[in-house]
């Protein structure tokens, strides 16, 4: 029964052999939930930064706490983002005004870290009592929303 991956946890456990996968990804895993066993691992023990996963969690938190039509102005969060990194961006500039919907597209499609930071600061700023808080505090507030 090699090369079968069962994702339905209600299925009976079966003997499933490890699979051989060809991938260009630096990190990947295939897990058989039914049999509680990894079928494939590539660099599973190497430290990796979960940027895309973090962006998905950011998107989920953003739509939970704000309207897709919320207007957000790009601001000082860009300065925080650029400290000690060279992230991918969607090309946001300070002073631009975007809706949350537009920023979500800019964050998820080109993997724009600038949009992710702008979403975090903008959504946190939109919550009552946060309008005048500094950007670093806004980012911490947004991180707390995701817990």
């Amino acid at each position: 029964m090699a090369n079968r991956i069962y994702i339905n946890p209600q299925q009976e456990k079966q003997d499933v052999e490890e699979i051989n996968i060809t991938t260009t990804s630096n990190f990947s895993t295939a897990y058989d939930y039914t049999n509680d066993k990894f079928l494939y691992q590539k660099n599973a023990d190497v430290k990796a930064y979960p940027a895309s996963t973090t962006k998905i969690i950011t998107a989920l938190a953003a739509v939970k706490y704000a309207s897709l039509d919320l207007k957000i102005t790009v601001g000082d969060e860009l300065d925080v983002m650029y400290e000690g990194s060279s992230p991918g961006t969607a090309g946001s500039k300070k002073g631009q005004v975007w809706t949350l919907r537009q920023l979500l597209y800019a964050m998820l499609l080109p993997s724009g870290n600038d949009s992710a930071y702008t979403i975090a600061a903008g959504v946190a700023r939109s919550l009552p009592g946060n309008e005048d808080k500094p950007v670093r505090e806004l980012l911490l507030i947004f991180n707390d929303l995701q817990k």
Side-chain angles (χ1 to χ4, degrees):
M1 289 190 210
N3 299 322
R4 289 181 136 176
I5 299 175
Y6 297 94
I7 59 172
N8 181 348
Q10 303 305 319
Q11 287 179 308
E12 290 183 30
K13 290 192 175 198
Q14 300 177 19
D15 289 330
V16 179
E17 297 174 21
E18 291 188 6
I19 58 176
N20 189 7
I21 296 175
T22 302
T23 177
T24 59
S25 172
N26 291 327
F27 310 94
S28 57
T29 60
Y31 182 75
D32 177 356
Y33 184 81
T34 303
N35 293 298
D36 190 26
K37 159 182 174 178
F38 282 98
L39 301 175
Y40 175 82
Q41 296 184 57
K42 180 178 179 185
N43 293 325
D45 296 325
V46 177
K47 183 176 182 177
Y49 297 95
S52 296
T53 303
T54 302
K55 287 181 179 94
I56 292 168
I57 293 168
T58 297
L60 292 170
V63 298
K64 180 177 180 181
Y65 291 98
S67 162
L68 290 173
D69 297 320
L70 174 68
K71 293 193 182 301
I72 300 174
T73 302
V74 179
D76 292 338
E77 63 275 359
L78 294 185
D79 297 333
V80 174
M81 179 193 72
Y82 284 114
E83 292 173 2
S85 67
S86 56
T89 72
S92 295
K93 306 285 184 230
K94 285 186 183 180
Q96 290 178 320
V97 179
W98 302 101
T99 64
L100 175 57
R101 179 188 318 272
Q102 291 170 315
L103 286 167
L104 288 169
Y105 279 112
M107 176 180 68
L108 296 171
L109 295 180
S111 197
N113 289 341
D114 51 349
S115 299
Y117 274 78
T118 300
I119 288 169
V123 170
R125 188 177 291 117
S126 75
L127 300 174
N130 294 341
E131 299 84 7
D132 298 320
K133 291 191 176 173
V135 71
R136 288 183 189 281
E137 191 172 341
L138 292 170
L139 296 173
L140 290 172
I141 290 167
F142 187 81
N143 283 341
D144 286 341
L145 295 177
Q146 300 179 65
K147 293 180 180 174

